[in-house]
Amino acid sequence: MFELTRRNNNHNVNAYNPFHDMEEFERSFFYPFDSFFGTSDLAEFKTDLVDEGDSYLLEADLPGFDKKDIKLDIKDDVLTVKAERHSKTEEKDSHHKVIRRERSYGCYSRQFDVSGIKTDEIKAKYDNGVLKLTLPKKEEESPKSKTLEIE
């Protein structure tokens, strides 16, 4: 089991990028709170994957979400974990009381390959901001031996 969507935010120090300074300026201007969150990729949440023998345990940090705002979908051996946080800007902004907004709102999504998982037996639990998925492994098929007769 592995993650399908992978983003590489590491910059190769030895590679010359003539647009690096401009990209850094744009990032700091349009996304000023990225350093606060520790990443420029807000559409990703942190997960841990533990091999527990006959199953995997996937734990995803999703603090501040309601259970109803988290969706789990499986299609073509791909598990999609999607969480959406809605903004309450209408009621607060109408009174002009918001001075600064640093919390992010939007859609957060990750995808995982579940081709080696019994998808009909997956169990999900959400408690204290942590989504826990128990992903039972498929039994490995042992190679079948067959004797052929020579004609």
Side-chain angles (χ1 to χ4, degrees), residues 147-151:
T147 304
L148 299 174
E149 296 295 325
I150 300 174
E151 294 181 18

Side-chain angles (χ1 to χ4, degrees), residues 88-101:
K88 297 178 183 177
T89 55
E90 299 101 34
E91 65 185 57
K92 290 184 179 181
D93 288 346
S94 65
H95 301 297
H96 303 289
K97 293 187 178 187
V98 176
I99 296 170
R100 183 178 187 151
R101 185 176 306 278

Side-chain angles (χ1 to χ4, degrees), residues 3 6 8 15 27-29 32 39 94-95 105 109 129 134-135:
E3 185 176 359
R6 190 175 299 255
N8 185 2
R27 190 175 297 118
S28 66
F29 184 78
T39 180
S94 65
H95 301 297
Y105 295 91
S109 178
T134 302
L135 308 163

Side-chain angles (χ1 to χ4, degrees), residues 121-135:
E121 297 179 21
I122 294 175
K123 304 261 189 259
K125 182 179 178 184
Y126 182 68
D127 189 34
N128 291 328
V130 179
L131 175 67
K132 293 183 181 184
L133 299 174
T134 302
L135 308 163

Side-chain angles (χ1 to χ4, degrees), residues 34-125:
D34 287 351
S35 60
F36 176 76
F37 294 108
T39 180
S40 61
D41 192 6
L42 294 178
E44 197 171 274
F45 47 86
K46 303 296 182 196
T47 60
D48 292 335
L49 183 62
V50 179
D51 187 343
E52 298 197 326
D54 59 346
S55 66
Y56 294 105
L57 174 64
L58 177 80
E59 294 181 308
D61 286 342
L62 295 167
F65 286 95
D66 290 330
K67 187 167 95 172
K68 64 180 174 39
D69 293 330
I70 301 171
K71 305 288 185 245
L72 304 173
D73 294 311
I74 298 173
K75 182 178 179 185
D76 299 328
D77 288 333
V78 175
L79 167 67
T80 302
V81 179
K82 183 178 178 181
E84 191 168 355
R85 185 174 292 145
H86 302 282
S87 175
K88 297 178 183 177
T89 55
E90 299 101 34
E91 65 185 57
K92 290 184 179 181
D93 288 346
S94 65
H95 301 297
H96 303 289
K97 293 187 178 187
V98 176
I99 296 170
R100 183 178 187 151
R101 185 176 306 278
E102 291 184 349
R103 294 183 299 155
S104 59
Y105 295 91
C107 184
Y108 304 81
S109 178
R110 298 275 298 263
Q111 292 184 318
F112 300 89
D113 176 12
V114 290
S115 57
I117 302 298
K118 297 178 188 175
T119 56
D120 55 331
E121 297 179 21
I122 294 175
K123 304 261 189 259
K125 182 179 178 184

